[in-house]
Amino acid sequence: MGFDSGTMFETMNMLSTSDHTSVVSINLFVTLLCACIVIGHLLEENRWMNESITALIIGVGTGVVILLISGGKSSHLMVFSEDLFFIYLLPPIIFNAGFQVKKKQFFRNFMTIMLFGAVGTLISFIIISLGAITFFRKMDVGLAIGDYLAIGAIFAATDSVCTLQVLNQDETPLLYSLVFGEGVVNDATSVVLFNAVQNFDLSHINTSVAFQLIGNFIYLFITSTVLGVVAGLLSAYIIKKLYFGRHSTDREVAIMMLMAYLSYMLAELFYLSGILTVFFCGIVMSHYTWHNVTENSRVTTKHTFATLSFVAEIFIFLYVGMDALDIEKWRVVSDSPKTSISVSATLLGLILVARAAFVFPLSFLSNLAKKSPYEKIDFKQQITIWWAGLMRGAVSMALAYNQFTRAGHTQERGNAFMITSTITVVLFSTVVFGLLTKPLVRFLMPSSKQLTSMISSESLTPNSFIVPLLGEGQDSVAELFTGNGQVSEASEGGRSVPRPSSLRMLLTKPTRTVHYYWRKFDDAFMRPVFGGRGFVPYVPGSPTERNVDNWQGEARN
């Protein structure tokens, strides 16, 4: 009995020690997060730094301190887990991207964004994979064919956070829309490609396997998008019908957050792309659901989603910086420093080449379909887009850990080479390329005054370029259709409005024509069912109550 009691007390003591260690680690990590935010704020106006680089540098510095204190045993407070990244940190980042996106700009440039984000990522994946097969086999790294294809997917995933922190979506709307849209679609495409590679037996690659890969990719892309749209519409319908805001604003906010997260987890449950699902769920929620809630809930959700995304991004970059000095990974490759440097340099070179191989040709193709010179992507903008995609970040790290580690540990030589090289590429590209981003963009991009005069002087450019985040205004029909192809006019609100009525209009201005017919369908069928701006019925305590009171006040005046 004494033995049993002693064992029990010993076990309890170990558990309490373990819990206390976790509490200490979490305290230190939260303190570091606060330090990143404060220092990032102080460096806001610095022409070189941004919060991503700040978090990385603080992470590396903290890793050095922990490494010295632990006697060279560890450099981080917590063990990195790709599950932590994909299940808890990535969803709020991607959802907020879809929720806050300017939908008009995004869908106006949708074809170009899909060219860069989907087709471009596929081209980058092929070039990096072939390059890895060619060069790494000569270096005798020791990887299988599936690993080489996984490398293509891992390093095709861009991280345009640094560039987006510099660009202003009011001053450079086209460029911001393209860089932002491509970044989200690129991440989704990379993850879909990565999953497709992992799900196939690649020991014998032939034409049939290649077509199966492409078919699986298209299937994942479409089904993930549909799932996100359905989840967004379901949340809009539930909130519109039940009017949670009559009793509790908290319930409205909670149901939006939980439905968004549910869409992501459902995609993971059915082996789809959670990134793509939660992104389009965010777009649908901002178009329908957000307009169905009370004014207080609108303000709360907008800032809550933005805050969660911001903290998750800082958390990721901070940990990547700390994990860069993990002694276990470097010990395995310490006997071959030249090979390690060669692998990292080769990957950087392949990223540079693969990025250029699709940005400039696809920009040329995109420009062929545009008539207005202000809608075309000029050479300086192409260089900025090329530069924006050179940085690698958290998605690449998570995919690399998924492919080349087991429970956060790396023992095989080839896998250790890839993990350490991924860390090197992420650190180098984020810090070096990130530091040069602000000076490059300021050198290439015209001043805000020049841009304002360009936008105001161009009659074909919609004036919705400068609208607030989550703006409620819509393009008028006159904004959608101006110039050639007008054959009939109708009055709208006392103005003469051109109407499209020919196939030639569809061919000359396809994006805006699709937008016009989508608007008609949306107003006739979607908004009456799912709500949205101007389509929420008046019920006491409902989101439209304040608007009705305002209208009555204006009528009395």
Side-chain angles (χ1 to χ4, degrees):
M1 185 71 181
F3 175 78
D4 292 339
S5 300
T7 305
M8 183 179 68
F9 284 123
E10 185 180 343
T11 303
M12 290 176 63
N13 185 49
M14 289 174 61
L15 288 173
S16 63
T17 304
S18 175
D19 289 343
H20 182 71
T21 304
S22 299
V23 170
V24 171
S25 298
I26 293 172
N27 269 282
L28 288 173
F29 212 92
V30 172
T31 303
L32 290 172
L33 285 173
C34 294
C36 289
I37 294 171
V38 172
I39 296 172
H41 171 72
L42 296 175
L43 296 174
E44 183 72 26
E45 301 301 323
N46 188 282
R47 61 175 297 189
W48 302 99
M49 299 294 288
N50 58 52
E51 273 155 343
S52 303
I53 300 172
T54 303
L56 266 179
I57 293 174
I58 291 176
V60 172
T62 306
V64 171
V65 173
I66 297 173
L67 200 62
L68 293 173
I69 294 174
S70 66
K73 294 180 180 179
S74 176
S75 67
H76 43 66
L77 300 169
M78 292 178 280
V79 177
F80 183 87
S81 167
E82 60 270 14
D83 290 338
L84 170 70
F85 174 77
F86 280 110
I87 295 178
Y88 301 110
L89 298 179
L90 192 60
I93 296 173
I94 302 300
F95 175 79
N96 185 65
F99 191 73
Q100 304 280 16
V101 68
K102 287 186 175 180
K103 296 183 291 296
K104 295 174 190 175
Q105 277 294 344
F106 181 82
F107 286 106
R108 182 171 289 120
N109 301 307
F110 186 73
M111 293 309 298
T112 306
I113 288 171
M114 293 305 295
L115 265 180
F116 286 149
V119 178
T121 304
L122 197 58
I123 293 171
S124 184
F125 162 75
I126 293 170
I127 291 175
I128 294 174
S129 297
L130 292 177
I133 292 171
T134 304
F135 294 109
F136 292 167
R137 281 183 173 175
K138 294 179 181 179
M139 298 177 192
D140 193 25
V141 176
L143 298 174
I145 185 66
D147 292 328
Y148 291 121
L149 293 177
I151 289 169
I154 289 167
F155 290 98
T158 65
D159 189 340
S160 53
V161 171
C162 291
T163 309
L164 288 175
Q165 287 177 347
V166 177
L167 295 176
N168 186 304
Q169 60 180 340
D170 290 331
E171 294 179 357
T172 54
L174 173 63
L175 189 59
Y176 187 95
S177 175
L178 293 178
V179 172
F180 169 81
E182 187 224 338
V184 176
V185 178
N186 166 276
D187 285 345
T189 306
S190 299
V191 175
V192 169
L193 280 171
F194 184 82
N195 291 336
V197 167
Q198 285 194 322
N199 293 335
F200 279 87
D201 179 16
L202 301 170
S203 55
H204 300 90
I205 293 183
N206 51 39
T207 308
S208 175
V209 172
F211 278 114
Q212 284 182 336
L213 265 174
I214 295 172
N216 190 44
F217 169 77
I218 295 172
Y219 163 77
L220 288 174
F221 213 94
I222 294 174
T223 50
S224 301
T225 302
V226 170
L227 178 60
V229 171
V230 169
L233 291 176
L234 181 61
S235 71
Y237 186 79
I238 290 173
I239 289 178
K240 178 175 179 288
K241 288 297 181 183
L242 298 182
Y243 298 115
F244 289 97
R246 285 181 300 178
H247 306 295
S248 171
T249 299
D250 299 338
R251 290 175 186 168
E252 287 185 320
V253 177
I255 198 71
M256 284 186 70
M257 295 177 66
L258 292 173
M259 287 291 289
Y261 190 65
L262 179 63
S263 72
Y264 183 88
M265 294 311 298
L266 282 174
E268 294 297 312
L269 178 66
F270 296 114
Y271 302 100
L272 303 176
S273 170
I275 292 179
L276 209 59
T277 297
V278 80
F279 175 69
F280 277 97
C281 180
I283 290 180
V284 172
M285 277 194 174
S286 70
H287 188 66
Y288 297 108
T289 314
W290 191 71
H291 295 283
N292 295 343
V293 299
T294 58
E295 292 291 334
N296 289 337
S297 296
R298 292 182 191 179
V299 175
T300 303
T301 51
K302 191 174 93 168
H303 291 292
T304 299
F305 294 141
T307 302
L308 290 173
S309 172
F310 173 74
V311 173
E313 285 182 4
I314 299 300
F315 185 100
I316 290 168
F317 280 105
L318 180 63
Y319 188 88
V320 168
M322 295 170 64
D323 198 55
L325 298 175
D326 186 12
I327 200 69
E328 177 193 310
K329 301 176 181 64
W330 292 102
R331 186 181 291 118
V332 179
V333 300
S334 60
D335 60 335
S336 307
K338 289 185 178 179
T339 305
S340 182
I341 294 171
S342 299
V343 170
S344 301
T346 302
L347 287 171
L348 277 170
L350 289 173
I351 290 169
L352 289 166
V353 173
R355 183 74 184 168
F358 77 82
V359 168
F360 299 106
L362 294 183
S363 296
F364 174 76
L365 290 176
S366 176
N367 288 340
L368 291 178
K370 297 176 180 178
K371 290 191 174 183
S372 170
Y374 298 108
E375 292 181 346
K376 294 185 176 182
I377 310 168
D378 62 36
F379 187 67
K380 290 182 178 180
Q381 290 176 327
Q382 292 176 32
I383 293 176
T384 305
I385 294 170
W386 170 74
W387 185 268
L390 294 179
M391 284 161 277
R392 296 297 178 265
V395 174
S396 294
M397 285 290 296
L399 294 179
Y401 272 89
N402 190 302
Q403 179 70 21
F404 298 112
T405 67
R406 298 293 178 269
H409 299 286
T410 307
Q411 299 296 336
E412 296 181 14
R413 183 171 178 271
N415 290 352
F417 271 125
M418 294 317 306
I419 289 293
T420 54
S421 296
T422 303
I423 292 171
T424 303
V425 168
V426 168
L427 283 176
F428 183 88
S429 62
T430 303
V431 175
V432 177
F433 295 158
L435 286 174
L436 297 174
T437 297
K438 280 188 180 180
L440 180 71
V441 171
R442 288 179 180 178
F443 174 75
L444 293 174
M445 293 295 102
S447 66
S448 57
K449 291 182 179 179
Q450 289 174 309
L451 276 162
T452 304
S453 62
M454 284 164 53
I455 292 172
S456 61
S457 64
E458 175 54 39
S459 60
L460 296 180
T461 304
N463 61 17
S464 62
F465 273 155
I466 302 178
V467 292
L469 202 63
L470 288 174
E472 299 183 15
Q474 296 189 72
D475 294 331
S476 67
V477 182
E479 291 169 351
L480 291 174
F481 299 101
T482 54
N484 297 330
Q486 302 171 11
V487 293
S488 64
E489 295 188 349
S491 176
E492 184 177 284
R495 295 183 298 148
S496 181
V497 177
R499 302 286 187 183
S501 62
S502 69
L503 181 62
R504 189 160 70 90
M505 170 60 79
L506 182 61
L507 296 176
T508 54
K509 295 185 181 297
T511 304
R512 296 179 191 176
T513 305
V514 170
H515 190 180
Y516 167 75
Y517 285 113
W518 160 250
R519 279 269 309 280
K520 292 187 68 174
F521 173 78
D522 194 28
D523 291 347
F525 300 102
M526 299 296 288
R527 293 188 190 217
V529 176
F530 299 104
R533 189 185 67 87
F535 281 83
V536 183
Y538 169 68
V539 171
S542 74
T544 54
E545 183 178 15
R546 181 179 296 182
N547 294 335
V548 171
D549 292 340
N550 291 339
W551 294 337
Q552 291 173 346
E554 290 174 2
R556 285 193 296 268
N557 294 334

